[in-house]
Amino acid sequence: MMLFGLDRSLVLALARAVMVPPPGPATPPPTASAPSVTGDEWQSPPPSPSDPSDDFSSEEASAARLFASAAWSGIAEPGDSVAGLVVAALGAERALTMLIDRSEPAQWFAALGAEVSDSDQARSHIEHDGVTVEVIAAALERWRPRVVSRVVVGSLRSAARFEARLLTPEHPLWPEGCRDLDLHAPHALWVRGNVGAVDHPGGGIAIVGSRDATNYGEYVAMELSAGVSDRGFSVVSGGAYGIDGMAHRAALVSGGTTVAFLAGGVDRLYPAAHHDLLLRIAARGALVSELPCGASPTKWRFLQRNRLIAAMTRATVVVEAGHRSGSLNTAGHAAALGRPLGAVPGPVTSATSAGCHRLLREYDATCVTTPADVVELVLGPATDRPSLLDPPPPPRSSASVARGLSGSVPPGSSGSAAPGSSGSVVPGSPGSVAPGSLGSVLPHPAGSPMRAGSVSDGVCPEVPGVTDSSAAGGDADTPAAEAPSSGAGAPVADDGAEVRVLDALTRRTRRTPSDVAARAGLSVRAVEAALGILLLEGRVEETETGWRRSRA
């Protein structure tokens, strides 16, 4: 019997191999020893897939749903709101079946209309985001080149080999913070390590910063990370050089939990110099990605990865950041999602602290210098919280601040931003970044309204002004072969298309527009338009056999 155009036993075996086991005694996952897949079965019209609900036990239905979610995590690029809408409205299984069957845009639109007729919330999304038949047609152009069965099968087999698990929105361990991203939430999370660490019981705190950290920045990151880890929080960062790496190391030394969000597959430990560190994180915490195993890290994916760091933590602290650092991208997502935002001040003469000073001056970030200050971002001032275990700390002593304390955030505290501050922004509300503020550098969050026309590209607003090497999530760890060749002042495409096209090109290999489209997750027409602009700017060149980055 066929399922999604593949052998049913193969689909179920692969899904069960990466399924998060239920609570109770651990049982070894079944091995995926079903028939191999060597061709692009989904590229040709497959036998009509069976309805996953027919003759399925609840376990088999869950396995089919998980397989479909795994497929969608590779078919659509992170942050694709149209993919988020169709999966939310139709379900991952039905949406994948329609994609395999090559349903026409009108059929998709009719199916969406039928499913949301009784859902005011979903209908408001369709009306607000301007989803039309033309928008769906453009989305199908982006998705169909990636509907390749062997890629999904290979990702699941690689995940099983590295003992990674696939967490889906239906699972009880799915992080609540992901729901704040609305249609831009990930379809699934690939987790290598402890799945329970992703949504830590004590909550997570993001500690981020530039990879070009100074000794001062690394020391402060170590102190803050160790301090919040000792107080029962998990430390979340991006696994990159500089501040990220020091935050992870300090949490590990303190015996705490730390989580690294990656911009590629969890089977590809990047950067390579942090291979051992990332293995230690997987052993004591978790490596997490919304991209399937085998996916390459690119600059666009680093930027999209930042929204997950901001959404799945209770507060974000920027330790060191340059004037245009990509860490500001994470800070923008945190503030627009209503998460408390802290920044560590540095010497006024230090270029590596210029971004932190911008956050303090223009974005209402809270000045933090100690772990106690970071805890106050989440729990509020210690003087306003009842002590359950320890006596009140002596005056001007921070040794026991926030240890064993609990309580709600008082109105007006740093954990509950005052009206008009960055923390008071409601996800998805208009005006999430005030005109003239740091919003000119920071993006609207993935969950906020998208600019007119951007929904057709299925991407979140780009980061105008963040053009230096650290734009890739504050770590500048985009592979050298993938790093844009533009200068620091080069413009960035409004819809992110140029960034993604550059990510898909190299200086050596010549690629056709259709190949670039499949790698970038864009339609061929969007790729050709972006290539035309990049050609005029001298950033790419056309040869007889295809396109490549300019060698100039």
Side-chain angles (χ1 to χ4, degrees), residues 98-408:
M98 292 182 65
L99 195 58
I100 296 171
D101 285 341
R102 304 187 69 83
S103 299
E104 295 298 324
Q107 294 176 283
W108 285 85
F109 193 76
L112 286 174
E115 290 295 329
V116 303
S117 59
D118 297 326
S119 173
D120 295 336
Q121 183 178 5
R123 178 170 291 280
S124 68
H125 279 308
I126 292 180
E127 295 173 351
H128 182 273
D129 289 340
V131 177
T132 62
V133 174
E134 291 74 19
V135 169
I136 295 176
L140 292 175
E141 290 184 22
R142 298 194 303 270
W143 302 336
R144 281 173 175 164
R146 292 186 171 185
V147 184
V148 182
S149 59
R150 59 180 170 81
V151 174
V152 184
V153 171
S155 297
L156 289 168
R157 282 181 170 156
S158 180
R161 184 166 60 252
F162 287 95
E163 298 183 348
R165 301 292 185 178
L166 191 63
L167 192 60
T168 58
E170 296 80 16
H171 198 277
L173 293 179
W174 183 257
E176 285 297 322
C178 278
R179 307 189 192 281
D180 292 340
L181 294 174
D182 201 19
L183 297 183
H184 303 283
H187 301 288
L189 292 175
W190 301 74
V191 183
R192 185 173 174 181
N194 180 12
V195 178
V198 180
D199 196 17
H200 193 262
I205 292 178
I207 298 179
V208 298
S210 173
R211 74 159 186 173
D212 300 318
T214 63
N215 291 338
Y216 163 79
E218 291 186 343
Y219 173 80
V220 174
M222 176 186 67
E223 289 292 309
L224 296 182
S225 178
V228 300
S229 182
D230 290 343
R231 288 160 170 81
F233 295 93
S234 68
V235 175
V236 178
S237 199
Y241 299 122
I243 299 302
D244 288 17
M246 185 57 68
H248 290 305
R249 291 187 184 96
L252 291 171
V253 170
S254 298
T257 301
T258 184
V259 178
F261 282 86
L262 307 182
V266 294
D267 60 332
R268 302 184 62 171
L269 301 185
Y270 185 87
H274 278 184
H275 182 274
D276 292 341
L277 173 61
L278 293 173
L279 287 180
R280 291 169 58 200
I281 294 173
R284 294 273 296 276
L287 303 177
V288 186
S289 177
E290 63 181 312
L291 292 156
C293 289
S296 302
T298 65
K299 182 175 181 179
W300 170 258
R301 289 170 176 175
F302 278 110
L303 292 170
Q304 291 298 302
R305 179 273 311 268
N306 292 343
R307 82 191 195 282
L308 300 183
I309 295 177
M312 287 191 268
T313 52
R314 300 178 66 179
T316 296
V317 177
V318 182
V319 178
E320 267 191 330
H323 191 72
R324 292 170 176 260
S325 172
S327 299
L328 304 183
N329 177 267
T330 306
H333 285 302
L337 287 168
R339 304 290 195 270
L341 175 62
V344 176
V348 295
T349 56
S350 174
T352 56
S353 291
C356 294
H357 298 157
R358 294 190 69 188
L359 292 175
L360 293 170
R361 183 180 68 254
E362 303 174 17
Y363 221 58
D364 275 345
T366 300
C367 177
V368 297
T369 59
T370 66
D373 295 342
V374 178
V375 172
E376 284 191 8
L377 287 176
V378 178
L379 303 181
T383 55
D384 293 339
R385 299 198 308 273
S387 177
L388 301 181
L389 301 177
D390 299 332
R396 306 189 63 81
S397 172
S398 60
S400 60
V401 171
R403 290 180 180 271
L405 301 180
S406 63
S408 59

Side-chain angles (χ1 to χ4, degrees), residues 402-501:
R403 290 180 180 271
L405 301 180
S406 63
S408 59
V409 180
S413 71
S414 58
S416 178
S421 72
S422 60
S424 62
V425 178
V426 178
S429 64
S432 58
V433 180
S437 70
L438 199 55
S440 61
V441 173
L442 300 172
H444 291 289
S448 65
M450 304 174 71
R451 294 189 306 275
S454 63
V455 69
S456 63
D457 297 312
V459 299
C460 303
E462 184 49 25
V463 192
V466 181
T467 56
D468 67 356
S469 61
S470 61
D475 41 46
D477 49 4
T478 307
E482 300 292 343
S485 59
S486 61
V492 179
D494 288 340
D495 59 6
E498 293 178 25
V499 175
R500 293 162 70 172
V501 169

